[in-house]
Amino acid sequence: MLDDRKLAVLRAVVEDYVSTNEPVGSKALAERHNLGVSPATVRNDMAVLEEQGYITQPHTSAGRVPTDKGYRLFVDRLSQIKPLSAAERRAIETFLAGAVDLDDVVTRTVRLLAQLTRQVAVVQYPSLTRSTVRHVELVPLAERRIMLVLITNTGRVEQRVVELPEIVADDQVAHLRALLNASLDGCGLGRVPETIADLPDRLPEEDRPVAATILSVLLETLVDRHDEKVIFAGAANLAGDFSVGLREVLEALEEQVVLMRLLGEAGDHSALMVRIGSENPYSGLHGTSIVAAGYGSGDNELARLGVLGPTRMDYPVTMGAVRAVARYVGQILAGS
């Protein structure tokens, strides 16, 4: 275990290296930080930190830089999440509240996170598997054609044109619409198939062919949209931080599966996840860190969002931005 003084030295090393992108020397550290000890004592403390693997000497200069282990200790014990200013909170709220639909919410969120953190922002669309039905609409288009519209609690809208086997009257459509909404309101999308399995049996025999056609299209819609979707923005922010390895990072960002794994599994969406360097599951990203959080309404996590950048990132600021944006997105979707 490190004593408080060595922890203070480690904090100073991390903060100076993040700020300057230059290896940190003991003399500069003693001058810039009120550590209350001589440069010689700081030098001795840095030697201990290096011996225990928290900092390292990148080349023959006198300076040291944090290791992944050092950043991990900084994040777990030394950093305090920096709260956003009142002006920043108002700007986030105003920007996100102007979204007109789910696609707009996600697009605005990823742009906003990239601007706030000056890193790569990654946002996962709300998963259909964790969504519930808010409303089903059947809109007659012609005698044998209707529009099926499925609206989820996350604001996601799926629509399909259904070709019917026979002419259908408006009152038949109205009855089926009412029956569908009575059965599916609040139903998790994963439970829709079993919920509607016996629905045709509750209809007059002459209405069953039409109902079976519509229900078949509804189930196809859920299957077709089952894949997860992740978008990112701010890749240009990486240009100044990677003299080598940028190609691998950009390739990873193009892979949806990699992005999903980086954001992590669904869990407690009030908790921040921070993966540093070699903790990342993808070897091409061992020079990066990711800060992620879930967003949702109430206790229901719908999806995750986060930020990817070099291990030399400003963790307190990044963690504060990710947490705040996730909270605002959840509030907007809950009220949509």
Side-chain angles (χ1 to χ4, degrees), residues 210-226:
V210 168
T213 302
I214 292 172
L215 296 181
S216 174
V217 173
L218 174 60
L219 295 178
E220 286 174 9
T221 301
L222 298 180
V223 171
D224 287 352
R225 301 295 183 177
H226 188 267

Side-chain angles (χ1 to χ4, degrees), residues 261-335:
R261 288 184 67 198
L262 286 176
L263 288 176
E265 298 300 322
D268 177 6
H269 70 264
S270 64
L272 282 169
M273 179 203 74
V274 182
R275 280 203 186 122
I276 298 169
S278 56
E279 297 170 0
N280 283 314
Y282 183 74
S283 61
L285 296 177
H286 283 179
T288 69
S289 291
I290 187 159
V291 178
Y295 65 86
S297 54
D299 294 327
N300 182 30
E301 178 177 310
L302 299 170
R304 298 181 70 78
L305 57 80
V307 165
L308 179 142
T311 52
R312 187 192 65 83
M313 70 164 59
D314 189 331
Y315 290 96
V317 167
T318 302
M319 291 161 71
V322 168
R323 184 174 66 176
V325 171
R327 185 170 63 245
Y328 281 115
V329 174
Q331 290 171 358
I332 287 171
L333 293 181

Side-chain angles (χ1 to χ4, degrees), residues 106-120:
V106 173
T107 301
R108 285 174 181 246
T109 299
V110 78
R111 285 169 47 205
L112 179 65
L113 259 182
Q115 290 168 4
L116 284 173
T117 63
R118 300 192 182 281
Q119 308 291 358
V120 178

Side-chain angles (χ1 to χ4, degrees), residues 127-133 150 152 187-193 222:
S127 170
L128 274 179
T129 58
R130 294 195 288 273
S131 300
T132 60
V133 177
L150 173 68
T152 73
C187 177
L189 296 197
R191 293 190 296 108
V192 167
L222 298 180

